[in-house]
C-alpha cells in the first residue's frame, strides 16, 4: 500500500513526464511539419530516402521469361516511423518504435529499431528527435543497403512504386534548380522550364511552346525535336506525351491529323472520301476503282469520286472531253500504265468513241473554217454558195464571210473598202482565196 508521500511523488513524476512529452511533440511538429499525432502519445512521420550514389534494382520481367529489368535510381520509397510513448517516458520507459517499408528487409528494420531504443538507454530522456535524425542520416546510404539489389518475381507493384518515387523526386530536384534557356538564354527556375526526356536539354516553357506551336501550324514536323543544333542532327522528334505537355492536347491532336494526312498523301493507294462532312482516308488495291472510307465506311469509285457503281460500269465523263482525249493520246505514246488506268476508269470502248468523235469534230471544224464561217452571234456555220462575202445569218446578224467580223447593217461594205481592214478589196473573194485566208487562222 502506497503511503501519501509516495503517491505525491508518483503524481509529480507523471506530471513532469506529461509536460516533457508535450514540449517534445510541439518542438517536433515545428521541425517536421509532416509529423502526424493522434493525441494518445502516438505519432508517425515519413522519412524520405535519397542517396548520393546510384543503386541498381533488378526485377524479373513477367512478360519475358528469364529476362531481368534493371532500374538505376537514387530515390527510394519513403519509410514510415511510428512511435508510441508509454507511461513513464521519457524518464523511466523507452518509446516503442515501428518501421514500415515496402522495400527495406525486416532484418534491417529491426536493427534500426534497436539502434533507436539504444539512444534512449544511453540518456533516459527525450529521444524522438535523435531517433528521427538517425533514420534521416542513415537514409542517405539507403540504410547500408547493397548497391545492387534483386527483388522476387512478385514485386511488380514495388517496381512501379520505385519508378513513381524516382520520377516525383527527380521532378522536385529539377524544379528547385535554375537553368539557362537554350532559346532566349535567360535564367529560369526549373518550375518554369521543360527538360526533354531523350537528351536532357532544358528550355523555358514559353519558348518551347511558341516554337513547337509554329512548327505544327506550319507543317514543319521535322523540326519537332531538340532545339540544340548539334543534338538536332541525330535526335528524333518528340513523343506525343512530351508534345502534349508542351503545346497542349489540341495542338497535339492537330499534329497527329496533319501528320497522318501527309503520310496518306505520300501513299499512292490512299484516296480521300469525297463526302465534304468526312474526307477521311480510304485504301484501295493498286489500280482498282473500289475504295472504302476508313472513317465513315462510304464505298465509292476512286476514279470519278461517285458512289460505287461497279467495275463493269464506266465512270461518267466530267469536264472537257477534248482534254481527256488529248491526255489519253499523250499517255498512249509516253506512259502505257497511265493510259491503262484511264481505260479502267472510263472504259476503253468509251475512250475509243471519244477519240473518234473528237477527231470528227476537229475535221468538221476545219472544214467549216476553210469552206464556211460561224455566225458571231449564234455560232451557226454558214456556207457561201454564190455572191459576195457580206453574209446575213438566219438570226439576222450581218457579218463578214472571210473573217467573221460584225458588219454594220446600214453600211456593211465599208468593211471591204477600208484599206486598214484585213478583208480590203475582197468583197467577191473566190473559194480558193477564202481557203488561203482561213489557213492563216489554223
Amino acid at each position: 500500500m502506497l503511503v501519501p508521500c509516495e503517491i505525491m511523488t508518483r503524481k509529480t513524476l507523471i506530471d513532469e513526464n506529461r509536460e516533457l512529452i508535450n514540449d517534445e511533440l510541439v518542438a517536433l511538429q515545428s521541425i517536421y511539419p509532416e509529423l502526424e499525432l493522434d493525441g494518445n502519445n502516438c505519432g508517425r512521420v515519413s522519412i524520405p530516402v535519397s542517396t548520393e550514389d546510384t543503386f541498381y534494382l533488378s526485377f524479373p520481367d513477367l512478360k519475358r521469361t528469364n529476362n531481368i529489368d534493371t532500374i538505376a535510381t537514387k530515390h527510394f520509397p519513403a519509410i514510415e516511423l511510428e512511435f508510441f510513448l508509454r507511461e513513464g517516458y521519457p524518464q523511466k520507459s523507452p518509446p516503442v518504435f515501428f518501421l514500415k517499408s515496402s522495400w527495406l528487409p525486416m532484418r534491417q528494420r529491426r536493427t534500426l529499431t534497436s539502434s533507436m531504443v539504444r539512444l534512449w538507454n544511453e540518456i533516459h530522456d527525450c529521444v524522438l528527435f535523435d531517433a528521427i535524425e538517425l533514420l534521416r542520416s542513415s537514409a542517405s546510404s539507403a540504410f547500408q543497403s547493397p548497391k545492387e539489389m534483386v527483388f522476387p518475381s512478385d514485386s511488380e507493384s514495388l517496381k512501379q512504386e520505385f519508378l513513381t518515387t524516382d520520377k516525383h523526386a527527380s521532378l522536385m530536384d529539377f524544379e528547385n534548380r535554375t537553368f539557362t534557356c537554350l532559346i532566349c538564354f535567360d535564367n529560369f527556375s526549373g518550375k518554369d522550364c521543360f527538360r526533354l526526356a531523350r537528351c536532357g536539354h532544358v528550355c523555358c516553357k514559353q519558348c518551347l511552346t511558341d516554337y513547337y506551336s509554329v512548327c505544327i501550324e506550319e507543317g514543319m514536323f521535322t523540326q519537332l525535336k531538340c532545339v540544340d543544333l548539334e543534338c538536332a542532327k541525330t535526335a528524333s522528334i518528340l513523343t506525343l506525351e512530351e508534345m502534349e505537355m508542351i503545346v497542349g492536347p489540341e495542338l497535339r491532336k492537330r499534329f497527329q491529323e496533319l501528320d497522318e494526312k501527309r503520310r496518306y498523301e505520300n501513299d499512292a493507294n490512299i484516296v480521300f472520301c469525297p463526302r465534304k462532312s468526312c474526307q477521311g482516308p480510304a485504301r484501295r488495291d493498286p489500280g482498282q476503282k473500289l475504295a472504302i472510307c476508313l472513317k465513315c465506311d462510304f464505298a465509292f469509285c476512286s476514279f470519278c469520286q461517285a458512289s460505287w457503281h461497279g467495275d463493269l460500269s464506266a465512270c461518267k465523263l466530267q469536264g472537257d472531253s477534248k482534254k481527256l482525249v488529248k491526255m489519253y493520246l499523250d499517255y498512249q505514246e509516253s506512259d502505257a500504265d497511265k493510259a491503262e488506268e484511264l481505260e479502267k476508269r472510263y472504259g476503253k470502248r468509251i475512250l475509243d468513241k471519244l477519240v473518234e468523235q473528237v477527231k470528227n469534230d476537229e475535221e468538221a471544224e476545219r472544214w467549216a473554217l476553210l469552206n464556211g464561217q460561224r455566225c458571231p452571234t449564234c455560232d451557226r456555220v454558214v456556207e457561201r454558195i454564190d455572191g459576195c462575202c457580206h453574209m446575213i445569218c438566219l438570226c439576222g446578224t450581218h457579218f463578214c464571210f472571210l473573217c467573221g467580223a460584225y458588219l454594220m447593217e446600214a453600211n456593211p461594205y465599208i468593211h471591204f473598202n477600208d484599206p486598214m481592214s484585213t478583208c480590203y478589196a475582197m468583197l467577191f473573194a473566190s473559194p480558193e482565196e477564202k481557203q488561203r485566208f482561213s489557213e492563216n487562222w489554223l
Side-chain angles (χ1 to χ4, degrees), residues 72-83:
T73 185
K74 292 184 177 181
H75 308 285
F76 290 72
I79 66 170
E80 188 173 274
L81 169 64
E82 293 185 353
F83 58 84

Side-chain angles (χ1 to χ4, degrees), residues 158-212:
L158 178 59
K159 171 185 169 183
Q160 296 303 320
E161 185 180 1
F162 268 106
L163 292 173
T164 302
T165 301
D166 187 67
K167 182 178 180 180
H168 178 72
S170 298
L171 178 62
M172 295 299 294
D173 290 345
F174 177 77
E175 291 182 347
N176 291 328
R177 295 170 59 191
T178 300
F179 298 91
T180 300
C181 175
L182 291 176
I183 299 177
C184 66
F185 300 108
D186 286 338
N187 293 327
F188 293 90
S189 167
K191 294 180 180 180
D192 300 317
C193 294
F194 190 90
R195 178 168 53 194
L196 299 178
R198 293 178 179 175
C199 60
H201 285 117
V202 178
C203 295
C204 73
K205 292 179 180 179
Q206 188 61 52
C207 285
L208 276 186
T209 301
D210 293 343
Y211 175 69
Y212 290 139

Side-chain angles (χ1 to χ4, degrees), residues 57 105 145 161 170 195 276 290 314 352 359:
L57 316 178
S145 298
E161 185 180 1
S170 298
R195 178 168 53 194
K276 291 184 178 180
L290 176 62
D352 289 341
K359 288 182 177 180

Side-chain angles (χ1 to χ4, degrees), residues 63-196:
K63 296 181 180 180
R64 291 178 290 180
T65 308
N66 299 326
N67 192 59
I68 301 296
D69 190 6
T70 300
I71 301 173
T73 185
K74 292 184 177 181
H75 308 285
F76 290 72
I79 66 170
E80 188 173 274
L81 169 64
E82 293 185 353
F83 58 84
F84 169 62
L85 306 180
R86 296 182 296 186
E87 184 179 352
Y89 177 83
Q91 298 181 24
K92 298 294 185 181
S93 301
V96 179
F97 295 110
F98 301 95
L99 281 177
K100 293 184 178 180
S101 173
S102 58
W103 59 272
L104 191 63
M106 178 62 71
R107 177 178 54 80
Q108 287 178 267
R109 281 182 274 167
R110 288 174 178 170
T111 300
L112 289 171
T113 301
S114 300
S115 298
M116 289 186 286
V117 172
R118 279 200 300 271
L119 291 175
W120 183 86
N121 289 333
E122 293 174 359
I123 60 175
H124 285 246
D125 203 347
C126 297
V127 294
L128 291 182
F129 173 78
D130 293 333
I132 294 174
E133 286 302 304
L134 172 66
L135 293 179
R136 289 170 65 91
S137 62
S138 301
S140 61
S141 62
F143 307 105
Q144 303 299 320
S145 298
K147 295 293 179 62
E148 296 182 3
M149 291 185 275
V150 179
F151 292 89
S153 58
D154 58 348
S155 303
E156 182 63 25
S157 60
L158 178 59
K159 171 185 169 183
Q160 296 303 320
E161 185 180 1
F162 268 106
L163 292 173
T164 302
T165 301
D166 187 67
K167 182 178 180 180
H168 178 72
S170 298
L171 178 62
M172 295 299 294
D173 290 345
F174 177 77
E175 291 182 347
N176 291 328
R177 295 170 59 191
T178 300
F179 298 91
T180 300
C181 175
L182 291 176
I183 299 177
C184 66
F185 300 108
D186 286 338
N187 293 327
F188 293 90
S189 167
K191 294 180 180 180
D192 300 317
C193 294
F194 190 90
R195 178 168 53 194
L196 299 178

Side-chain angles (χ1 to χ4, degrees), residues 357-407:
Q357 178 183 334
V358 169
K359 288 182 177 180
N360 290 337
D361 290 345
E362 289 178 348
E363 189 62 33
E365 184 69 24
R366 179 182 177 82
W367 182 92
L369 185 60
L370 291 175
N371 301 283
Q373 186 60 265
R374 290 187 179 276
C375 172
T377 300
C378 67
D379 204 41
R380 181 184 284 109
V381 177
V382 178
E383 182 182 4
R384 187 187 69 166
I385 299 175
D386 196 11
C388 68
C389 291
H390 167 214
M391 311 302 292
I392 303 176
C393 183
L394 293 177
C395 69
T397 301
H398 294 251
F399 65 95
C400 173
F401 181 70
L402 293 175
C403 67
Y406 284 101
L407 300 179

